[in-house]
Coordinates of all heavy atoms in Angstrom, one line a residue:
M1 N 5.0 5.1 4.8 CA 6.1 5.6 5.5 C 6.6 6.9 4.8 O 6.8 6.9 3.7 CB 7.2 4.6 5.5 CG 7.6 4.1 6.8 SD 9.0 2.9 6.7 CE 8.4 1.6 5.7
L2 N 6.8 7.9 5.6 CA 7.4 9.1 5.1 C 8.7 9.4 5.8 O 8.8 9.2 7.0 CB 6.4 10.3 5.4 CG 5.0 10.2 4.8 CD1 4.2 11.3 5.3 CD2 5.1 10.3 3.2
S3 N 9.7 9.8 5.0 CA 10.9 10.2 5.6 C 10.9 11.7 5.9 O 10.6 12.5 5.1 CB 12.1 9.8 4.7 OG 13.3 10.2 5.3
C4 N 11.3 12.0 7.1 CA 11.3 13.4 7.5 C 12.5 13.7 8.3 O 12.6 13.3 9.5 CB 10.0 13.7 8.4 SG 9.8 15.4 8.9
Q5 N 13.5 14.4 7.7 CA 14.7 14.8 8.3 C 15.4 13.5 8.9 O 15.9 13.5 10.1 CB 14.5 15.8 9.4 CG 14.0 17.1 8.8 CD 13.7 18.1 9.9 OE1 13.8 17.9 11.1 NE2 13.3 19.3 9.5
G6 N 15.5 12.5 8.1 CA 16.3 11.3 8.6 C 15.4 10.4 9.5 O 16.0 9.4 10.0
K7 N 14.2 10.7 9.7 CA 13.4 9.9 10.6 C 12.3 9.2 9.8 O 11.9 9.7 8.7 CB 12.7 10.7 11.7 CG 13.7 11.4 12.6 CD 13.0 12.3 13.6 CE 14.0 13.0 14.5 NZ 13.5 13.8 15.4
L8 N 11.8 8.1 10.2 CA 10.8 7.4 9.6 C 9.4 7.7 10.2 O 9.4 7.7 11.5 CB 11.0 5.9 9.6 CG 12.2 5.4 8.8 CD1 12.3 3.9 8.9 CD2 12.0 5.7 7.3
I9 N 8.4 8.0 9.5 CA 7.1 8.2 10.0 C 6.2 7.1 9.4 O 6.2 6.9 8.3 CB 6.6 9.6 9.6 CG1 7.5 10.7 10.1 CG2 5.2 9.8 10.0 CD1 7.2 12.1 9.6
F10 N 5.5 6.5 10.3 CA 4.6 5.4 9.9 C 3.1 5.9 10.0 O 2.8 6.6 11.0 CB 4.7 4.2 10.8 CG 6.0 3.5 10.7 CD1 7.1 3.9 11.5 CD2 6.1 2.4 9.8 CE1 8.3 3.3 11.3 CE2 7.4 1.8 9.7 CZ 8.4 2.2 10.5
L11 N 2.4 5.7 9.0 CA 1.0 6.0 9.0 C 0.2 4.7 8.9 O 0.3 4.0 7.9 CB 0.7 6.9 7.8 CG -0.8 7.3 7.5 CD1 -1.3 8.1 8.7 CD2 -0.9 8.1 6.2
I12 N -0.6 4.4 9.9 CA -1.3 3.2 9.9 C -2.8 3.5 10.0 O -3.3 4.3 10.9 CB -0.9 2.3 11.2 CG1 0.6 2.1 11.1 CG2 -1.7 1.1 11.2 CD1 1.2 1.5 12.3
A13 N -3.6 2.9 9.1 CA -5.0 3.1 9.1 C -5.7 1.8 8.6 O -5.2 1.1 7.7 CB -5.4 4.2 8.2
Q14 N -6.8 1.5 9.2 CA -7.6 0.3 8.8 C -8.4 0.7 7.5 O -8.8 -0.2 6.8 CB -8.5 -0.2 9.9 CG -7.8 -0.9 11.0 CD -8.7 -1.4 12.0 OE1 -9.7 -0.8 12.4 NE2 -8.4 -2.6 12.5
R15 N -8.7 1.9 7.3 CA -9.5 2.4 6.2 C -8.7 3.3 5.3 O -8.5 4.5 5.7 CB -10.8 3.1 6.7 CG -11.7 2.3 7.6 CD -12.4 1.1 6.9 NE -13.0 1.3 5.7 CZ -14.3 1.7 5.5 NH1 -15.1 1.8 6.6 NH2 -14.8 1.8 4.3
A16 N -8.3 2.9 4.2 CA -7.4 3.7 3.3 C -8.2 4.9 2.8 O -7.5 5.9 2.6 CB -6.9 2.9 2.1
Q17 N -9.5 4.8 2.7 CA -10.2 6.0 2.2 C -10.2 7.2 3.1 O -10.5 8.3 2.7 CB -11.6 5.6 1.9 CG -12.5 5.2 3.0 CD -13.9 4.9 2.7 OE1 -14.4 5.5 1.7 NE2 -14.6 4.1 3.4
V18 N -9.9 7.0 4.4 CA -9.9 8.2 5.3 C -8.5 8.9 5.3 O -8.4 9.9 6.0 CB -10.3 7.7 6.7 CG1 -11.7 7.2 6.7 CG2 -9.3 6.8 7.4
I19 N -7.5 8.3 4.7 CA -6.2 9.0 4.6 C -6.2 10.1 3.7 O -6.7 10.0 2.5 CB -5.1 8.0 4.2 CG1 -5.0 6.8 5.2 CG2 -3.7 8.6 4.1 CD1 -4.1 5.7 4.7
N20 N -5.8 11.3 4.1 CA -5.7 12.4 3.2 C -5.0 12.1 2.0 O -3.8 11.6 2.0 CB -5.1 13.6 4.0 CG -5.1 14.9 3.3 OD1 -4.3 15.0 2.3 ND2 -5.8 15.8 3.7
K21 N -5.5 12.5 0.8 CA -4.9 12.2 -0.5 C -3.5 12.9 -0.6 O -2.6 12.3 -1.2 CB -5.8 12.6 -1.6 CG -7.0 11.7 -1.8 CD -7.9 12.2 -2.9 CE -9.0 11.3 -3.1 NZ -9.9 11.0 -2.0
D22 N -3.3 14.0 0.0 CA -2.0 14.7 0.0 C -0.9 13.9 0.7 O 0.2 13.7 0.3 CB -2.0 16.1 0.6 CG -2.9 17.1 -0.2 OD1 -3.0 16.8 -1.4 OD2 -3.4 18.1 0.4
V23 N -1.3 13.3 1.8 CA -0.4 12.4 2.6 C -0.2 11.1 1.9 O 1.0 10.7 1.7 CB -1.0 12.2 4.0 CG1 -0.2 11.1 4.8 CG2 -1.1 13.5 4.8
L24 N -1.2 10.5 1.4 CA -1.1 9.2 0.7 C -0.2 9.4 -0.5 O 0.6 8.5 -0.8 CB -2.5 8.7 0.2 CG -2.5 7.4 -0.4 CD1 -2.1 6.3 0.6 CD2 -4.0 7.0 -0.8
S25 N -0.2 10.5 -1.3 CA 0.6 10.6 -2.5 C 2.1 10.8 -2.1 O 2.9 10.6 -3.0 CB 0.1 11.9 -3.3 OG 0.4 13.1 -2.6
Q26 N 2.4 11.1 -0.9 CA 3.8 11.3 -0.5 C 4.5 10.1 0.1 O 5.7 10.1 0.4 CB 3.9 12.5 0.5 CG 3.4 13.8 -0.1 CD 4.2 14.2 -1.4 OE1 5.4 14.3 -1.4 NE2 3.5 14.4 -2.4
M27 N 3.7 9.0 0.2 CA 4.3 7.8 0.9 C 5.3 7.1 -0.1 O 5.1 7.0 -1.3 CB 3.2 6.8 1.2 CG 2.3 7.3 2.3 SD 0.9 6.2 2.7 CE 1.2 4.7 1.9
E28 N 6.4 6.7 0.5 CA 7.4 6.0 -0.3 C 7.2 4.5 -0.3 O 7.6 3.8 -1.2 CB 8.8 6.2 0.3 CG 9.3 7.7 0.2 CD 9.7 8.0 -1.2 OE1 10.1 7.1 -1.9 OE2 9.7 9.2 -1.5
T29 N 6.6 3.9 0.8 CA 6.4 2.5 0.9 C 4.9 2.2 1.3 O 4.4 2.9 2.2 CB 7.3 1.9 2.0 OG1 8.7 2.2 1.6 CG2 7.1 0.4 2.2
L30 N 4.3 1.3 0.7 CA 2.9 0.9 1.0 C 2.9 -0.6 1.5 O 3.5 -1.4 0.9 CB 2.1 1.0 -0.2 CG 0.6 0.5 -0.1 CD1 -0.2 1.4 0.8 CD2 0.0 0.5 -1.5
V31 N 2.3 -0.8 2.7 CA 2.1 -2.1 3.2 C 0.6 -2.3 3.2 O -0.1 -1.6 3.9 CB 2.7 -2.3 4.6 CG1 2.3 -3.7 5.1 CG2 4.2 -2.1 4.6
G32 N 0.1 -3.1 2.2 CA -1.3 -3.3 2.1 C -1.7 -4.7 2.5 O -1.2 -5.7 2.1
M33 N -2.7 -4.7 3.4 CA -3.3 -5.9 3.9 C -4.7 -6.1 3.4 O -5.1 -5.3 2.5 CB -3.2 -6.0 5.4 CG -1.7 -5.9 5.9 SD -1.6 -6.0 7.7 CE -1.5 -7.8 7.9
R34 N -5.4 -7.0 3.8 CA -6.7 -7.3 3.3 C -7.6 -6.1 3.4 O -7.8 -5.5 4.4 CB -7.4 -8.4 4.1 CG -8.7 -8.9 3.6 CD -9.1 -10.1 4.4 NE -10.5 -10.4 4.0 CZ -11.2 -11.3 4.6 NH1 -10.7 -12.0 5.6 NH2 -12.4 -11.6 4.2
M35 N -8.2 -5.8 2.2 CA -9.2 -4.6 2.1 C -10.4 -5.1 1.4 O -10.4 -5.5 0.2 CB -8.6 -3.5 1.3 CG -7.5 -2.8 2.0 SD -7.0 -1.3 1.2 CE -5.5 -0.9 2.0
L36 N -11.5 -5.1 2.1 CA -12.8 -5.7 1.6 C -13.6 -4.6 0.9 O -14.2 -4.8 -0.1 CB -13.6 -6.3 2.6 CG -13.0 -7.6 3.3 CD1 -13.8 -8.1 4.4 CD2 -12.7 -8.6 2.2
H37 N -13.6 -3.4 1.4 CA -14.4 -2.3 0.9 C -13.9 -1.7 -0.4 O -12.7 -1.4 -0.5 CB -14.6 -1.2 1.9 CG -15.9 -0.4 1.7 ND1 -15.9 0.6 0.7 CD2 -17.1 -0.4 2.3 CE1 -17.1 1.1 0.7 NE2 -17.8 0.5 1.7
K38 N -14.7 -1.6 -1.4 CA -14.3 -1.0 -2.7 C -13.7 0.4 -2.5 O -12.7 0.7 -3.2 CB -15.5 -1.0 -3.6 CG -15.2 -0.4 -5.0 CD -16.4 -0.4 -5.8 CE -16.1 0.3 -7.2 NZ -17.2 0.4 -8.1
L39 N -14.2 1.2 -1.7 CA -13.7 2.6 -1.5 C -12.3 2.6 -1.0 O -11.5 3.4 -1.3 CB -14.7 3.4 -0.7 CG -16.0 3.7 -1.3 CD1 -16.9 4.5 -0.4 CD2 -15.9 4.4 -2.6
D40 N -12.0 1.6 -0.1 CA -10.6 1.6 0.4 C -9.6 1.1 -0.7 O -8.6 1.7 -0.7 CB -10.6 0.6 1.6 CG -11.3 1.1 2.8 OD1 -11.2 2.3 3.1 OD2 -12.0 0.3 3.5
R41 N -10.0 0.2 -1.5 CA -9.2 -0.2 -2.6 C -9.0 0.9 -3.6 O -7.9 1.1 -4.1 CB -9.7 -1.5 -3.2 CG -9.6 -2.7 -2.3 CD -9.9 -4.0 -3.0 NE -11.2 -4.0 -3.7 CZ -12.3 -4.5 -3.3 NH1 -12.4 -4.9 -2.0 NH2 -13.4 -4.5 -4.0
E42 N -10.1 1.6 -3.9 CA -10.0 2.8 -4.8 C -9.1 3.9 -4.3 O -8.4 4.5 -5.1 CB -11.4 3.3 -5.0 CG -12.4 2.4 -5.8 CD -12.1 2.3 -7.2 OE1 -11.6 3.3 -7.8 OE2 -12.3 1.3 -7.8
A43 N -9.0 4.0 -3.0 CA -8.2 5.1 -2.4 C -6.7 4.8 -2.7 O -5.9 5.8 -2.8 CB -8.4 5.2 -0.9
L44 N -6.3 3.6 -2.9 CA -4.9 3.3 -3.2 C -4.6 3.4 -4.7 O -3.4 3.5 -5.1 CB -4.6 1.8 -2.8 CG -4.8 1.5 -1.3 CD1 -4.4 0.1 -1.1 CD2 -3.9 2.4 -0.5
K45 N -5.6 3.5 -5.6 CA -5.3 3.5 -7.0 C -4.4 4.7 -7.5 O -3.5 4.5 -8.3 CB -6.6 3.6 -7.8 CG -7.2 2.2 -8.0 CD -8.3 2.2 -9.0 CE -8.8 0.8 -9.2 NZ -9.9 0.7 -10.2
A46 N -4.6 5.9 -6.9 CA -3.8 7.0 -7.3 C -2.3 6.8 -7.0 O -1.4 7.1 -7.8 CB -4.3 8.3 -6.6
W47 N -2.1 6.2 -5.8 CA -0.7 5.9 -5.4 C -0.1 4.9 -6.3 O 1.0 5.1 -6.8 CB -0.6 5.4 -3.9 CG 0.8 5.2 -3.4 CD1 1.5 6.2 -2.8 CD2 1.6 4.1 -3.6 NE1 2.8 5.7 -2.5 CE2 2.8 4.4 -3.0 CE3 1.4 2.8 -4.1 CZ2 3.9 3.5 -2.9 CZ3 2.5 1.9 -4.1 CH2 3.7 2.2 -3.5
I48 N -0.9 3.9 -6.6 CA -0.4 2.8 -7.5 C -0.1 3.3 -8.9 O 0.9 3.0 -9.5 CB -1.4 1.6 -7.5 CG1 -1.4 1.0 -6.1 CG2 -1.1 0.6 -8.6 CD1 -2.6 0.1 -5.9
E49 N -1.0 4.1 -9.4 CA -0.8 4.7 -10.8 C 0.4 5.5 -10.8 O 1.1 5.5 -11.9 CB -2.1 5.4 -11.2 CG -3.2 4.5 -11.5 CD -4.5 5.2 -11.7 OE1 -4.6 6.4 -11.6 OE2 -5.5 4.5 -12.0
A50 N 0.8 6.2 -9.8 CA 1.9 7.1 -9.8 C 3.2 6.3 -9.6 O 4.3 6.7 -10.1 CB 1.8 8.1 -8.6
H51 N 3.2 5.1 -8.9 CA 4.4 4.4 -8.6 C 4.6 3.1 -9.4 O 5.7 2.5 -9.4 CB 4.4 4.0 -7.1 CG 4.6 5.2 -6.2 ND1 3.5 6.0 -5.8 CD2 5.7 5.7 -5.7 CE1 4.0 7.0 -5.1 NE2 5.3 6.8 -5.0
D52 N 3.6 2.6 -10.1 CA 3.7 1.4 -10.8 C 4.3 1.5 -12.2 O 3.6 1.9 -13.1 CB 2.3 0.7 -10.9 CG 2.3 -0.6 -11.6 OD1 3.4 -1.3 -11.7 OD2 1.2 -1.1 -12.1
T53 N 5.6 1.3 -12.3 CA 6.3 1.4 -13.6 C 6.5 0.0 -14.2 O 7.0 0.0 -15.3 CB 7.6 2.1 -13.4 OG1 8.4 1.3 -12.5 CG2 7.5 3.5 -12.8
K54 N 6.1 -1.0 -13.5 CA 6.3 -2.4 -14.0 C 5.0 -3.2 -14.2 O 5.1 -4.4 -14.3 CB 7.3 -3.1 -13.1 CG 8.6 -2.4 -13.0 CD 9.6 -3.2 -12.2 CE 11.0 -2.4 -12.2 NZ 11.9 -3.1 -11.4
G55 N 3.9 -2.6 -14.3 CA 2.6 -3.3 -14.5 C 2.2 -4.2 -13.5 O 1.7 -5.3 -13.8
R56 N 2.3 -3.9 -12.2 CA 2.0 -4.7 -11.1 C 0.6 -4.4 -10.5 O 0.2 -5.1 -9.6 CB 3.0 -4.7 -10.1 CG 4.4 -5.2 -10.6 CD 5.5 -5.0 -9.6 NE 6.6 -5.8 -10.0 CZ 7.8 -5.5 -9.5 NH1 8.0 -4.5 -8.7 NH2 8.8 -6.3 -9.9
Q57 N 0.0 -3.4 -11.0 CA -1.3 -2.9 -10.4 C -2.4 -4.0 -10.4 O -3.0 -4.2 -9.4 CB -1.8 -1.7 -11.1 CG -3.2 -1.2 -10.6 CD -3.7 0.0 -11.4 OE1 -2.9 0.7 -12.1 NE2 -4.9 0.4 -11.1
E58 N -2.5 -4.7 -11.5 CA -3.6 -5.7 -11.6 C -3.4 -6.8 -10.5 O -4.3 -7.2 -9.9 CB -3.6 -6.3 -13.0 CG -4.8 -7.2 -13.2 CD -4.9 -7.7 -14.6 OE1 -4.5 -6.9 -15.6 OE2 -5.3 -8.8 -14.8
E59 N -2.2 -7.3 -10.4 CA -1.9 -8.4 -9.4 C -2.2 -7.9 -8.0 O -2.8 -8.6 -7.2 CB -0.4 -8.8 -9.6 CG 0.0 -9.9 -8.6 CD 1.5 -10.3 -8.7 OE1 2.2 -9.6 -9.5 OE2 1.9 -11.2 -8.0
F60 N -1.7 -6.7 -7.7 CA -1.9 -6.2 -6.4 C -3.4 -6.0 -6.1 O -3.9 -6.5 -5.0 CB -1.2 -4.8 -6.3 CG -1.3 -4.1 -4.9 CD1 -0.5 -4.5 -3.9 CD2 -2.2 -3.1 -4.8 CE1 -0.6 -3.8 -2.6 CE2 -2.4 -2.5 -3.6 CZ -1.6 -2.8 -2.5
M61 N -4.1 -5.3 -6.9 CA -5.5 -4.9 -6.7 C -6.4 -6.2 -6.7 O -7.3 -6.3 -5.9 CB -6.0 -4.0 -7.8 CG -5.4 -2.6 -7.7 SD -5.6 -1.7 -6.1 CE -7.3 -1.3 -6.2
A62 N -6.1 -7.1 -7.5 CA -7.0 -8.3 -7.6 C -6.9 -9.2 -6.3 O -7.8 -9.9 -6.0 CB -6.6 -9.2 -8.8
S63 N -5.8 -9.1 -5.6 CA -5.6 -9.9 -4.4 C -6.0 -9.3 -3.1 O -6.1 -10.0 -2.1 CB -4.1 -10.3 -4.3 OG -3.3 -9.2 -4.0
L64 N -6.2 -8.0 -3.0 CA -6.4 -7.3 -1.8 C -7.6 -7.8 -1.0 O -7.6 -8.0 0.2 CB -6.6 -5.8 -2.0 CG -5.4 -5.0 -2.2 CD1 -5.7 -3.5 -2.4 CD2 -4.4 -5.1 -1.0
A65 N -8.7 -8.1 -1.6 CA -9.9 -8.6 -0.9 C -9.8 -10.0 -0.5 O -10.5 -10.5 0.4 CB -11.1 -8.5 -1.8
S66 N -8.9 -10.8 -1.0 CA -8.8 -12.2 -0.7 C -7.5 -12.6 0.2 O -7.3 -13.7 0.4 CB -8.7 -13.0 -2.0 OG -7.6 -12.7 -2.7
L67 N -6.8 -11.6 0.6 CA -5.6 -11.8 1.4 C -6.0 -12.5 2.7 O -7.1 -12.1 3.3 CB -4.8 -10.6 1.7 CG -4.1 -9.9 0.5 CD1 -3.4 -8.6 0.9 CD2 -3.0 -10.9 0.0
G68 N -5.3 -13.4 3.2 CA -5.6 -14.1 4.5 C -5.1 -13.2 5.7 O -4.4 -12.2 5.5
R69 N -5.4 -13.6 6.9 CA -5.0 -12.9 8.1 C -3.5 -12.9 8.1 O -2.8 -14.0 8.1 CB -5.6 -13.6 9.3 CG -5.2 -12.9 10.6 CD -5.9 -13.5 11.7 NE -7.3 -13.4 11.5 CZ -8.2 -13.3 12.5 NH1 -7.8 -13.5 13.8 NH2 -9.4 -13.1 12.3
G70 N -2.9 -11.7 8.2 CA -1.5 -11.6 8.3 C -0.8 -11.5 7.0 O 0.4 -11.2 6.9
D71 N -1.5 -11.8 5.9 CA -0.9 -11.7 4.6 C -0.8 -10.2 4.2 O -1.8 -9.5 4.4 CB -1.6 -12.5 3.5 CG -1.5 -14.0 3.7 OD1 -0.5 -14.4 4.4 OD2 -2.3 -14.7 3.3
A72 N 0.2 -9.8 3.5 CA 0.4 -8.4 3.1 C 1.3 -8.2 1.9 O 2.1 -9.1 1.6 CB 1.0 -7.6 4.3
W73 N 1.1 -7.1 1.2 CA 2.0 -6.7 0.1 C 2.8 -5.6 0.7 O 2.4 -4.7 1.3 CB 1.2 -6.2 -1.0 CG 0.5 -7.2 -1.9 CD1 -0.8 -7.5 -1.9 CD2 1.2 -7.9 -2.9 NE1 -1.0 -8.5 -2.9 CE2 0.2 -8.7 -3.5 CE3 2.5 -8.0 -3.4 CZ2 0.5 -9.6 -4.5 CZ3 2.8 -8.9 -4.4 CH2 1.8 -9.7 -5.0
I74 N 4.1 -5.7 0.4 CA 5.0 -4.6 0.7 C 5.5 -4.1 -0.7 O 6.0 -4.8 -1.5 CB 6.2 -5.1 1.5 CG1 5.8 -5.6 2.8 CG2 7.2 -3.9 1.7 CD1 6.8 -6.2 3.7
W75 N 5.2 -2.8 -0.9 CA 5.5 -2.2 -2.2 C 6.2 -0.9 -2.0 O 5.7 0.1 -1.5 CB 4.2 -1.9 -3.0 CG 4.3 -1.7 -4.4 CD1 5.5 -1.5 -5.1 CD2 3.3 -1.7 -5.4 NE1 5.2 -1.4 -6.5 CE2 3.9 -1.5 -6.6 CE3 1.9 -1.9 -5.3 CZ2 3.1 -1.4 -7.8 CZ3 1.2 -1.8 -6.5 CH2 1.8 -1.6 -7.7
S76 N 7.5 -0.9 -2.4 CA 8.4 0.3 -2.2 C 9.2 0.3 -3.5 O 10.4 -0.1 -3.5 CB 9.2 0.1 -1.0 OG 10.0 1.3 -0.8
P77 N 8.6 0.9 -4.6 CA 9.3 0.8 -5.9 C 10.6 1.6 -6.0 O 11.5 1.2 -6.7 CB 8.3 1.3 -6.9 CG 7.3 2.0 -6.0 CD 7.3 1.5 -4.7
E78 N 10.7 2.7 -5.3 CA 11.8 3.6 -5.4 C 12.8 3.5 -4.2 O 14.0 3.3 -4.4 CB 11.4 5.0 -5.6 CG 10.7 5.2 -7.0 CD 9.7 6.3 -7.0 OE1 9.8 7.2 -6.1 OE2 8.8 6.3 -7.8
W79 N 12.3 3.6 -3.0 CA 13.1 3.6 -1.8 C 13.8 2.3 -1.6 O 15.0 2.2 -1.4 CB 12.3 4.1 -0.7 CG 13.1 4.3 0.6 CD1 14.2 5.0 0.7 CD2 12.7 3.9 1.9 NE1 14.7 5.0 2.0 CE2 13.7 4.3 2.8 CE3 11.7 3.2 2.4 CZ2 13.7 4.1 4.1 CZ3 11.7 2.9 3.8 CH2 12.7 3.4 4.6
L80 N 13.0 1.2 -1.5 CA 13.5 -0.1 -1.2 C 13.6 -1.1 -2.4 O 14.3 -2.1 -2.3 CB 12.7 -0.8 -0.1 CG 12.6 -0.1 1.2 CD1 11.6 -0.8 2.1 CD2 13.9 0.0 1.9
G81 N 13.0 -0.7 -3.5 CA 12.9 -1.6 -4.6 C 12.3 -2.9 -4.4 O 12.7 -4.0 -4.8
V82 N 11.2 -2.9 -3.6 CA 10.5 -4.1 -3.2 C 9.1 -4.2 -3.7 O 8.3 -3.2 -3.6 CB 10.5 -4.2 -1.7 CG1 9.6 -5.4 -1.2 CG2 11.9 -4.3 -1.1
F83 N 8.7 -5.3 -4.2 CA 7.2 -5.6 -4.5 C 7.1 -7.1 -4.1 O 7.6 -8.0 -4.9 CB 6.9 -5.4 -6.0 CG 5.5 -5.8 -6.3 CD1 4.4 -5.0 -5.9 CD2 5.2 -7.0 -6.9 CE1 3.1 -5.3 -6.2 CE2 3.8 -7.3 -7.2 CZ 2.8 -6.5 -6.9
K84 N 6.6 -7.3 -2.9 CA 6.6 -8.7 -2.4 C 5.4 -9.0 -1.6 O 5.0 -8.2 -0.7 CB 7.9 -8.9 -1.5 CG 8.0 -10.2 -0.9 CD 9.3 -10.3 -0.1 CE 9.4 -11.6 0.6 NZ 10.6 -11.7 1.4
R85 N 4.8 -10.1 -1.8 CA 3.7 -10.6 -0.9 C 4.4 -11.4 0.2 O 5.2 -12.3 -0.1 CB 2.7 -11.5 -1.7 CG 1.5 -11.8 -1.0 CD 0.5 -12.4 -1.9 NE -0.6 -13.0 -1.1 CZ -1.7 -13.5 -1.6 NH1 -1.9 -13.5 -2.9 NH2 -2.7 -14.0 -0.9
T86 N 3.9 -11.1 1.4 CA 4.6 -11.7 2.6 C 3.6 -12.0 3.7 O 2.4 -11.6 3.5 CB 5.7 -10.9 3.1 OG1 6.5 -11.6 4.1 CG2 5.2 -9.6 3.7
H87 N 4.0 -12.6 4.7 CA 3.1 -12.9 5.9 C 3.7 -12.2 7.1 O 4.9 -12.3 7.4 CB 3.0 -14.4 6.2 CG 2.0 -14.7 7.2 ND1 0.7 -14.7 7.0 CD2 2.2 -14.9 8.6 CE1 0.0 -15.0 8.1 NE2 0.9 -15.1 9.1
I88 N 2.9 -11.4 7.8 CA 3.3 -10.7 9.0 C 2.7 -11.3 10.2 O 1.4 -11.5 10.2 CB 3.0 -9.2 8.9 CG1 3.6 -8.6 7.7 CG2 3.3 -8.5 10.2 CD1 3.2 -7.2 7.3
R89 N 3.4 -11.7 11.2 CA 2.9 -12.3 12.4 C 2.0 -11.4 13.2 O 2.2 -10.2 13.3 CB 4.0 -12.7 13.3 CG 4.5 -14.0 13.0 CD 5.6 -14.4 14.0 NE 4.9 -14.9 15.2 CZ 5.6 -15.5 16.2 NH1 6.8 -15.8 16.0 NH2 5.0 -15.9 17.2

């Protein structure tokens, strides 16, 4: 999600590796669902390394390939102050 002049912008993609790195680096909130492909998980590492101040990277990355249908991580360390695994209908 990017904030632009008081508006929220949502960027949704099934393949994280196709998201432009400039755009990915500017996101305030990450909603990560099941990612099986190694390159998709690798694409998130730069964002995580920039935002992870509390050592949560390992827990997040280790679970991405095994998340069930509808299971997701919501990670917004600065804007919302959230790091939570949840279920989305």
Side-chain angles (χ1 to χ4, degrees):
M1 241 184 299
L2 299 172
S3 180
C4 182
Q5 298 176 356
K7 298 178 183 179
L8 294 177
I9 298 171
F10 293 87
L11 175 64
I12 301 169
Q14 288 183 319
R15 302 294 311 269
Q17 68 175 330
V18 301
I19 300 172
N20 182 291
K21 288 179 177 54
D22 291 337
V23 173
L24 187 60
S25 71
Q26 299 302 306
M27 292 178 10
E28 294 284 338
T29 301
L30 174 68
V31 178
M33 299 181 88
R34 184 175 174 187
M35 289 187 194
L36 297 175
H37 201 283
K38 180 182 177 181
L39 293 177
D40 290 320
R41 293 191 307 266
E42 292 287 328
L44 298 180
K45 277 191 176 181
W47 186 92
I48 292 167
E49 289 170 357
H51 291 85
D52 183 18
T53 60
K54 298 183 179 178
R56 296 172 166 162
Q57 177 177 350
E58 188 175 326
E59 178 183 4
F60 179 82
M61 294 301 291
S63 68
L64 282 179
S66 64
L67 290 174
R69 181 175 297 207
D71 291 337
W73 281 103
I74 300 175
W75 197 348
S76 181
E78 294 152 19
W79 186 47
L80 300 173
V82 173
F83 178 76
K84 180 180 179 180
R85 189 170 169 172
T86 190
H87 187 81
I88 299 172
R89 276 182 77 166

